[in-house]
Amino acid sequence: MIRTIPVTPFEGQKPGTSGLRKKTRVFMQPHYLECFVQAIFESVGGVAGKTLVIGGDGRFYNDRAVQIILAMAAGQGAVRAIVGQGGLLSTPAASHLIRLNKTDGGIILSASHNPGGEDADFGIKFNMPNGGPAPESVTEAMYAATCSIAEYTLFEAPDLDLDRIGKTSFGDMQVDIVDPVADYADLMESLFDFPAIRARFAAGFTMRFDAMCAITGPYAVELLENRLGAAKGTVTHATPLPDFGGMHPDPNPTWAHELMAEMMGEDGPDFGAASDGDGDRNMVLGRGVYVSPSDSLAVLAANAHLAPGYARGIAGIARSMPTSGAADRVAEAMGLPCFETPTGWKFFGNLLDAGRVTLCGEESFGTGSDHVREKDGLWAVLLWLNILAVRGQSVAGILADHWARFGRNYYSRHDFEAIEVAKADAMIVALRARLSDLSGQEVQGMTIRAADDFAYSDPVDGSVSKHQGIRILFEDGSRIVYRLSGTGTEGATLRVYLERYTPGTGDLQLDPQVALAPMIKAAQELAEIARHTGRDSPDVLT
């Protein structure tokens, strides 16, 4: 039976860079999820006659949300839905399914690297027919729709059995329940030199992959242990759980502390990696070595040709503005274009679709290529494995060679979390008001060359995005960037990005926090962080 249900709008359903994220209990309110899904449908011209991919990272409420979305799609004329078994799909796998099946887009349920559970976080976003996140024009239309929504329509019927792979009917809509791993794993095998990686494992190469009780577990087991021959147990915390086993599924040195301890031990594995809640982020480690995401992007760009999928070379590189300039130096040396975009993977979509770039990366542990339109944690890990297998070196050896050739961009990000929004906004407003007066000033022995509020003009469609982060640029090429993050669900997160370049002939083996000490003091001083927020040290340091 088709039912139309009258509703009144909810306040605050404004999607950020990766959709709408709120506390799980907020989404569990009667009609809350339905209102936002209806807004998604309206923003893309309805779903009548369309095919959608639907799935999520398995966090608490994922299963219920998938049933609601299916009921609404069926009630509003969608002809087909492709759903991962159990309602599960990693974000990169969902992007691949959208592209592989040439669907009209997809709905992904995740709050990415945020904790899961009834008292934790939930999220939902729409990906376009190219497989990438909705652009600002569409998310703005979603928000406008949330402000005026009056009703939604759904097909009322018993829930579908999402655990049984195969085709079924739900009203007039066909539902294909598919293996969430198989198609994605096949794509990975087409891109990388699996025989070379298998041979390296067979020769005694050791690895640890921490799936953090999140969605990447089944994908990593299939690829690393089943197809590549890594030892059983290489993948830890491999079973996705609704609350991620109480873990914070954010692959950085703070939250992936178990992996960090193992990799920094004397008898650590040769290679280590972790992924996040929805599988689109990655952290890479060698024995005793942490690889920053900015360095990882640069190394992958310099060596991508070693993988069969990129043997003909890459078209260009794109990085988010807060990401270090390490990739820029690779691009310059290789004669490739390099683009600096705002934070948010959607800004890479136009460049990828236009063939202007092949590899993209963000300092927030996201890396990917033109194989999908999302960042992809396992893809980055497999490319690293491909490079390690072909070059026959350790992670430390590859980094040393890279820095000797290109120099090192010492880099760190300091996160001040759950700041009262009014205080965070006041700090940014005060800093923004001073930007025009900062040029030529000296702070901590460094002279400021320029200061601005980053704006981006898309070279493909001409769209302009303003207020994307405050940049303080120094005469010696060092940088401080301040940005309020839109990925949290409580308060504001201030992210402070610090960067200082050392040429290949300089000291390349310092602890980044030591190398950046003057930058850290300057960042506090310039923004008066302690005065505005009461914080004199970050909550998370990467």
Side-chain angles (χ1 to χ4, degrees):
M1 182 176 74
I2 305 293
R3 280 191 61 199
T4 297
I5 299 171
V7 291
T8 55
F10 289 88
E11 291 185 2
Q13 288 192 326
K14 184 176 178 62
T17 56
S18 295
L20 182 67
R21 293 181 187 172
K22 300 286 184 183
K23 290 297 179 183
T24 307
R25 290 186 185 277
V26 172
F27 274 100
M28 292 171 66
Q29 296 175 85
H31 311 301
Y32 189 92
L33 175 69
E34 291 89 338
C35 282
F36 190 72
V37 172
Q38 187 64 43
I40 291 175
F41 289 174
E42 291 181 12
S43 71
V44 296
V47 294
K50 294 182 177 180
T51 296
L52 299 174
V53 168
I54 302 169
D57 63 13
R59 67 181 58 230
F60 190 89
Y61 199 57
N62 186 95
D63 51 356
R64 184 77 238 128
V66 170
Q67 298 284 359
I68 290 170
I69 295 165
L70 286 169
M72 291 181 66
Q76 297 183 44
V79 296
R80 184 183 176 208
I82 302 171
V83 186
Q85 185 182 25
L88 302 178
L89 280 173
S90 76
T91 290
S95 179
H96 176 53
L97 284 179
I98 292 169
R99 296 169 61 80
L100 179 68
N101 294 280
K102 297 180 171 58
T103 75
D104 299 289
I107 293 179
I108 300 174
L109 301 165
S110 175
S112 188
H113 55 292
N114 292 2
E118 191 169 2
D119 295 313
D121 301 335
F122 193 80
I124 177 172
K125 69 174 183 174
F126 183 80
N127 278 36
M128 303 297 284
N130 74 340
E136 286 185 321
S137 59
V138 176
T139 56
E140 288 169 0
M142 288 178 198
Y143 179 55
T146 69
C147 297
S148 59
I149 189 168
E151 61 185 28
Y152 65 88
T153 300
L154 79 168
F155 172 66
E156 278 198 337
D159 286 350
L160 286 171
D161 180 358
L162 299 179
D163 292 327
R164 182 178 295 178
I165 290 177
K167 301 182 187 297
T168 188
S169 295
F170 197 53
D172 294 329
M173 182 176 74
Q174 176 182 310
V175 178
D176 297 354
I177 299 172
V178 302
D179 182 329
V181 175
D183 286 324
Y184 174 84
D186 289 345
L187 174 64
M188 294 299 103
E189 194 158 1
S190 75
L191 294 174
F192 301 114
D193 190 344
F194 273 38
I197 302 171
R198 272 195 294 266
R200 192 79 190 277
F201 277 120
F205 182 82
T206 56
M207 177 182 178
R208 180 72 68 235
F209 183 95
D210 190 345
M212 306 189 84
C213 297
I215 191 64
T216 313
Y219 296 84
V221 169
E222 172 63 18
L223 284 161
L224 299 176
E225 298 183 11
N226 297 346
R227 299 198 184 194
L228 288 170
K232 297 298 181 184
T234 290
V235 182
T236 59
H237 303 121
T239 301
L241 299 174
D243 65 349
F244 304 123
M247 302 178 76
H248 186 151
D250 191 353
N252 64 47
T254 298
W255 297 117
H257 50 82
E258 183 178 310
L259 176 65
M260 285 292 295
E262 182 177 10
M263 293 304 302
M264 297 302 152
E266 290 184 8
D267 299 320
D270 296 305
F271 183 63
S275 192
D276 70 329
D278 67 333
D280 63 358
R281 299 183 184 216
N282 71 94
M283 180 174 71
V284 169
L285 303 149
R287 182 184 294 127
V289 178
Y290 163 72
V291 184
S292 78
S294 295
D295 279 340
S296 182
L297 172 63
V299 169
L300 296 182
N303 294 277
H305 62 281
L306 300 178
Y310 309 94
R312 295 182 179 180
I314 60 177
I317 307 167
R319 64 167 176 85
S320 65
M321 180 273 287
T323 303
S324 92
D328 303 43
R329 300 183 185 281
V330 173
E332 182 179 6
M334 298 175 68
L336 297 171
C338 188
F339 297 87
E340 183 181 39
T341 75
T343 295
W345 205 261
K346 59 190 175 186
F347 291 102
F348 295 138
N350 280 351
L351 296 169
L352 291 164
D353 286 345
R356 306 279 287 271
V357 301
T358 305
L359 265 59
C360 306
E362 296 181 329
E363 52 70 38
S364 54
F365 297 84
T367 329
S369 84
D370 58 358
H371 69 290
V372 290
R373 292 298 181 269
E374 286 279 4
K375 47 185 174 278
D376 189 345
L378 263 178
W379 169 90
V381 171
L382 290 167
L383 182 48
W384 263 100
L385 284 171
N386 197 139
I387 293 165
L388 289 164
V390 173
R391 289 185 54 164
Q393 290 177 279
S394 66
V395 173
I398 287 174
L399 283 177
D401 286 355
H402 185 90
W403 292 334
R405 179 182 176 189
F406 299 104
R408 182 175 183 182
N409 289 67
Y410 282 105
Y411 184 85
S412 185
R413 188 183 90 191
H414 290 197
D415 289 0
F416 299 79
E417 297 182 334
I419 300 170
E420 186 178 324
V421 172
K423 292 180 178 179
D425 288 343
M427 184 193 69
I428 292 298
V429 168
L431 181 57
R432 187 176 286 137
R434 297 173 52 214
L435 291 179
S436 60
D437 299 326
L438 291 179
S439 181
Q441 289 191 25
E442 187 172 298
V443 57
Q444 295 295 322
M446 302 174 295
T447 302
I448 297 174
R449 176 175 59 82
D452 64 13
D453 197 349
F454 181 65
Y456 176 67
S457 296
D458 192 299
V460 178
D461 66 14
S463 61
V464 177
S465 300
K466 298 181 178 180
H467 304 304
Q468 296 298 314
I470 292 174
R471 302 187 298 180
I472 311 295
L473 311 174
F474 294 89
E475 293 284 1
D476 65 356
S478 300
R479 256 191 346 161
I480 300 171
V481 174
Y482 302 89
R483 182 174 172 271
L484 295 182
S485 171
T487 60
T489 61
E490 186 174 3
T493 296
L494 169 66
R495 303 201 194 281
V496 182
Y497 310 86
L498 308 147
E499 178 178 3
R500 196 166 201 176
Y501 176 69
T502 298
T505 55
D507 192 342
L508 303 174
Q509 299 299 328
L510 294 174
D511 182 305
Q513 304 308 316
V514 173
L516 294 167
M519 310 294 300
I520 294 169
K521 293 178 181 177
Q524 274 278 0
E525 182 178 329
L526 285 166
E528 298 182 290
I529 295 174
R531 184 175 74 83
H532 282 284
T533 70
R535 311 282 185 86
D536 56 12
S537 61
D539 299 284
V540 178
L541 187 153
T542 55

